[in-house]
Amino acid sequence: MAAPSAASAVDVQTRFGHSVKGLLTEKVTSCGTDVIALTKQVLKGSRSAEFLGQAARNMVMQEDAILHSEDSLRKMAIITTHLQYQQEAIQKNVEQSSNLRDQLTHLLK
């Protein structure tokens, strides 16, 4: 009877060994899948960082453009003020020339 129990023990060990190998294979496969998922996530994060960096560079360029536009508007406001002064001076000169013409017309009569 010792032989069947020894055979049965070997059979149990063999099944246990196959069971352990199967579990180990499942765990290795699961870990491999997890590593692949983690790698994809890291790559996605890397791309996100690249997109954020590009967005930051674009924002800086837009900020520079806005500052340049603001400076241009300030200069245009100064030019507008000068043009208004010149228009007022021209208008006064036109009025004075009109008065001079009237005076000359009156003197020549």
Side-chain angles (χ1 to χ4, degrees), residues 1-77:
M1 214 131 169
S5 106
S8 144
V10 170
D11 190 38
V12 168
Q13 285 178 345
T14 303
R15 277 188 280 176
F16 179 73
H18 286 299
S19 174
V20 168
K21 284 181 183 177
L23 287 174
L24 185 59
T25 302
E26 286 178 29
K27 287 293 182 182
V28 167
T29 303
S30 174
C31 285
T33 304
D34 290 346
V35 166
I36 290 170
L38 178 63
T39 303
K40 286 180 181 178
Q41 203 61 26
V42 167
L43 289 174
K44 188 184 287 184
S46 174
R47 275 184 256 130
S48 295
E50 288 175 25
F51 290 144
L52 283 174
Q54 183 62 39
R57 285 188 292 276
N58 290 344
M59 196 167 162
V60 167
M61 288 182 355
Q62 289 298 323
E63 186 178 9
D64 286 344
I66 289 170
L67 291 174
H68 180 71
S69 296
E70 184 181 12
D71 188 46
S72 294
L73 284 172
R74 206 175 296 117
K75 289 176 182 176
M76 287 181 356

